[in-house]
Amino acid sequence: LAEFYPQSVSSILDKQAMKGIFAHLNNRTTAESGLFGEHWSQAFVNAVDRRGILKTALDSVTLSQSYSGYAGGRLKMAAKILRSRESREVNRDAIYFTLGGHDTHFDT
């Protein structure tokens, strides 16, 4: 358990070490292991791997347009997703986000 309760928190936490720990914890198969547990564990490890691939793809995108504000942050992420399509090896993306309400009654 010492691996999960470090004495000091560091901003340079070794991500590869944590990934190894997660893989180790989620790879313990016993005679009592069920199909659901093994499937969940593999799905978890795969999701961690895919997250790294997506982050690398999004970090490599350079946008010429600047975005600001709440809606701008969401539009920026949508633009990065669309621009990283080839490096992610996908044919099309579907993007959905909400902007909230536009009720201005309190402004009067």
Side-chain angles (χ1 to χ4, degrees):
L1 288 178
E3 299 162 272
F4 293 103
Y5 298 98
Q7 296 301 318
S8 64
V9 178
S10 171
S11 62
I12 8 176
L13 200 56
D14 185 9
K15 293 178 185 174
Q16 285 299 76
M18 289 302 292
K19 184 178 173 185
I21 292 168
F22 287 140
H24 177 72
L25 284 175
N26 286 288
N27 196 24
R28 294 194 177 199
T29 304
T30 65
E32 294 82 28
S33 295
L35 180 62
F36 176 77
E38 290 180 21
H39 178 74
W40 183 92
S41 293
Q42 189 59 52
F44 176 78
V45 171
N46 291 346
V48 170
D49 289 340
R50 285 192 309 267
R51 183 228 168 257
I53 292 168
L54 178 61
K55 181 174 181 352
T56 300
L58 293 178
D59 287 347
S60 69
V61 172
T62 303
L63 300 174
S64 59
Q65 178 73 32
S66 63
Y67 299 89
S68 63
Y70 178 75
R74 290 173 179 236
L75 290 171
K76 181 179 179 180
M77 181 55 69
K80 287 182 117 181
I81 290 170
L82 295 173
R83 295 286 303 233
S84 67
R85 181 175 57 92
E86 287 182 20
S87 65
R88 293 181 294 113
E89 300 177 359
V90 297
N91 292 326
R92 71 178 58 94
D93 291 303
I95 298 172
Y96 172 84
F97 61 90
T98 62
L99 297 176
H102 298 281
D103 186 356
T104 59
H105 286 95
F106 290 109
D107 294 339
T108 56

